[in-house]
Amino acid sequence: MRVALLTVGDEILAGDTVNTNAAWLAEQVTDRGVDVERITVVPDRTADIAEAIEAFRTRYDAVIVTGGIGPTHDDVTMDAVAAAFDVALVEDQAALDWLAEHREYAREDLADGTAAIPAGARMIPNREGVAPGCVLANVYVFPGVPAEMKAMFEAVADDFSGADRHVEVVHVDEPESALLDRIETLDERFEVTVGSYPGETVRIKLSGRDQDAVERATAWLRERVELADSV
Amino acid sequence: MRVALLTVGDEILAGDTVNTNAAWLAEQVTDRGVDVERITVVPDRTADIAEAIEAFRTRYDAVIVTGGIGPTHDDVTMDAVAAAFDVALVEDQAALDWLAEHREYAREDLADGTAAIPAGARMIPNREGVAPGCVLANVYVFPGVPAEMKAMFEAVADDFSGADRHVEVVHVDEPESALLDRIETLDERFEVTVGSYPGETVRIKLSGRDQDAVERATAWLRERVELADSV
């Protein structure tokens, strides 16, 4: 399963906020064996959001959109999803009922548009806030407030699954340039994906579907490098 | 001036690493009056990187690419830039000379490809590491290691400038939903861009090219909301 994450928010494009929502979602779905193929951040503009959703929803198995939902004028994500699917935005009775029952909101307490989702979408209730999320075909729409986003993802997490992936990390206390021969051999000899990430030590990450192959490759590498003190 | 940031890295797509490079660059160029229109993260795969560069380099005034440069097998960004411009990758004499002079590397100390950049590109020396960056037309290529990336950006920072933008932030101690009327009035009455970001308090961000308009709008708002204790 291959997914794209789409983050809506001027505040991230301006560098005011680090995109921790995407990092959290990426880790969650990766842990479930799903491959994240793209993370894209777009401004709070209907056309930009709609264009990205249109491109991603045919290209990937699922798209998770976060941010830009709610009642203020800069919350245009639901309009954009509706535009991408060429459907109308409609006030959702299930959302109104849920808010009345769980939050004791009367309809007149809610700003116009709070409960509006694209026609044909399934509402996802917001257990940590007000504005509902939704799923339309393979597009999931969550709020940008982290607690609300996380609770909503948990509610649909079972939709995201893939083959198990096994991961091992080896911390090496040699310069990356000195490790090239061994990394190349690893790549040739074992059915694993190898990534090397230099920092204070070099992190070599070995991953693959075949646990045995990952373990053999890791053992092979550990015998042939200067291991850093484990952190 | 409108730019896109392209981050190369499986480790970000897997949620192992938060994309702080993009946040740092976004803040730097925003402070210089430049609009960041996209932040995209792609895997360490030549075709994916090249496709994004091709799309962005015609659409935006500049593209800043970070990550995936260096001598290991998963460092394919320079290949991708060359592919996007349909030019060859060539060993750069200026890079070799710089490394010999500043780091006292002999050519045979360097792994194959360390000093390779796309034909026609201008080399940017790496003052904090080894692998050089480059500029080709409006595409800037920096390493993913934060200290190396930052030093390289500083070397070309003057290329990034736009009209001054004035920003004010008001922290409000009311629910966002209660503020809708005043946010709408702000949006209608003043030549400013208004963003509202709910959290423990609601952050209202007012920005625009006209300092006077931003200040008048901010004063107008401050008189009409419950201000949160300044943080």
Side-chain angles (χ1 to χ4, degrees):
Chain A
M1 184 177 189
R2 300 160 67 244
V3 308
L5 307 181
L6 181 63
T7 308
V8 176
D10 287 349
E11 70 278 22
I12 293 171
L13 295 171
D16 287 342
T17 306
V18 177
N19 196 356
T20 53
N21 277 354
W24 187 86
L25 283 169
E27 190 176 14
Q28 293 295 314
V29 302
T30 301
D31 283 351
R32 286 168 171 78
V34 170
D35 293 311
V36 178
E37 294 275 329
R38 284 290 182 286
I39 298 173
T40 291
V41 187
V42 292
D44 297 307
R45 284 197 304 248
T46 311
D48 291 68
I49 306 167
E51 184 200 83
I53 292 172
E54 272 192 76
F56 289 167
R57 75 187 182 92
T58 50
R59 188 164 179 172
Y60 303 110
D61 297 313
V63 185
I64 304 178
V65 188
T66 55
I69 77 173
T72 55
H73 73 293
D74 58 344
D75 291 322
V76 295
T77 296
M78 288 296 182
D79 301 88
V81 176
F85 282 88
D86 199 16
V87 298
L89 205 60
V90 291
E91 199 164 52
D92 188 73
Q93 193 56 48
L96 291 170
D97 292 347
W98 195 91
L99 286 164
E101 187 180 336
H102 292 80
R103 295 295 164 91
E104 298 179 5
Y105 278 114
R107 191 181 179 127
E108 51 275 22
D109 295 336
L110 295 167
D112 277 355
T114 302
I117 65 175
R122 175 166 59 85
M123 188 272 295
I124 310 175
N126 188 337
R127 294 177 190 282
E128 301 287 330
V130 177
C134 74
V135 192
L136 180 52
N138 62 344
V139 177
Y140 294 75
V141 187
F142 302 150
V145 179
E148 301 180 18
M149 181 276 293
K150 291 176 186 182
M152 240 179 243
F153 173 79
E154 302 292 355
V156 297
D158 288 346
D159 292 3
F160 297 88
S161 68
D164 277 352
R165 192 191 289 103
H166 304 278
V167 180
E168 295 280 349
V169 175
V170 179
H171 295 266
V172 181
D173 196 14
E174 300 182 44
E176 191 187 32
S177 54
L179 291 168
L180 295 181
D181 52 341
R182 281 155 287 168
I183 292 176
E184 218 159 87
T185 309
L186 262 183
D187 206 47
E188 282 164 18
R189 288 206 3 198
F190 299 94
E191 276 293 300
V192 296
T193 302
V194 186
S196 83
Y197 308 111
E200 288 194 24
T201 62
V202 178
R203 274 190 319 130
I204 309 278
K205 183 174 168 182
L206 305 101
S207 60
R209 304 289 186 204
D210 179 348
Q211 181 168 2
D212 191 53
V214 173
E215 284 173 1
R216 279 184 296 115
T218 305
W220 183 93
L221 182 67
R222 292 179 65 89
E223 281 169 18
R224 285 163 181 83
V225 294
E226 196 73 43
L227 295 170
D229 294 339
S230 54
V231 277
Chain B
M1 185 177 188
R2 300 159 67 244
V3 308
L5 306 181
L6 181 63
T7 308
V8 177
D10 287 350
E11 71 277 22
I12 293 171
L13 294 171
D16 287 342
T17 307
V18 177
N19 196 356
T20 52
N21 277 355
W24 187 87
L25 283 169
E27 191 176 14
Q28 294 295 314
V29 302
T30 301
D31 283 351
R32 287 168 170 78
V34 171
D35 293 311
V36 178
E37 294 276 329
R38 282 289 182 287
I39 298 173
T40 290
V41 187
V42 292
D44 298 306
R45 283 196 304 247
T46 311
D48 292 67
I49 306 166
E51 185 200 82
I53 292 171
E54 273 193 74
F56 289 167
R57 75 186 183 91
T58 50
R59 187 164 181 172
Y60 303 110
D61 298 312
V63 185
I64 304 178
V65 187
T66 56
I69 77 173
T72 56
H73 73 294
D74 59 344
D75 291 322
V76 296
T77 296
M78 288 295 182
D79 301 87
V81 177
F85 282 88
D86 200 15
V87 298
L89 205 59
V90 291
E91 200 165 50
D92 188 72
Q93 192 58 47
L96 291 170
D97 291 350
W98 194 91
L99 286 164
E101 188 180 334
H102 292 79
R103 294 296 165 89
E104 299 180 5
Y105 278 113
R107 190 181 180 129
E108 51 274 22
D109 296 335
L110 295 168
D112 278 355
T114 302
I117 65 175
R122 175 166 58 85
M123 188 272 296
I124 310 175
N126 188 337
R127 294 177 190 283
E128 301 287 330
V130 177
C134 74
V135 192
L136 180 52
N138 62 345
V139 177
Y140 294 75
V141 186
F142 301 152
V145 178
E148 301 179 20
M149 182 275 292
K150 291 176 186 182
M152 243 180 240
F153 174 78
E154 301 293 356
V156 297
D158 288 347
D159 292 2
F160 296 89
S161 69
D164 277 353
R165 191 191 289 104
H166 304 278
V167 179
E168 296 279 350
V169 176
V170 179
H171 295 266
V172 181
D173 195 15
E174 299 182 45
E176 190 187 30
S177 54
L179 292 168
L180 295 181
D181 52 340
R182 281 154 287 168
I183 293 176
E184 219 159 88
T185 309
L186 262 184
D187 205 46
E188 281 163 19
R189 289 212 355 205
F190 299 93
E191 276 293 298
V192 296
T193 302
V194 186
S196 82
Y197 308 112
E200 287 194 23
T201 63
V202 178
R203 273 191 319 130
I204 310 278
K205 182 174 168 179
L206 305 101
S207 60
R209 304 289 185 202
D210 179 349
Q211 181 167 3
D212 191 52
V214 174
E215 283 172 1
R216 278 184 297 116
T218 305
W220 184 93
L221 182 67
R222 292 179 64 90
E223 281 169 19
R224 285 164 181 83
V225 294
E226 197 72 45
L227 295 170
D229 294 338
S230 54
V231 275

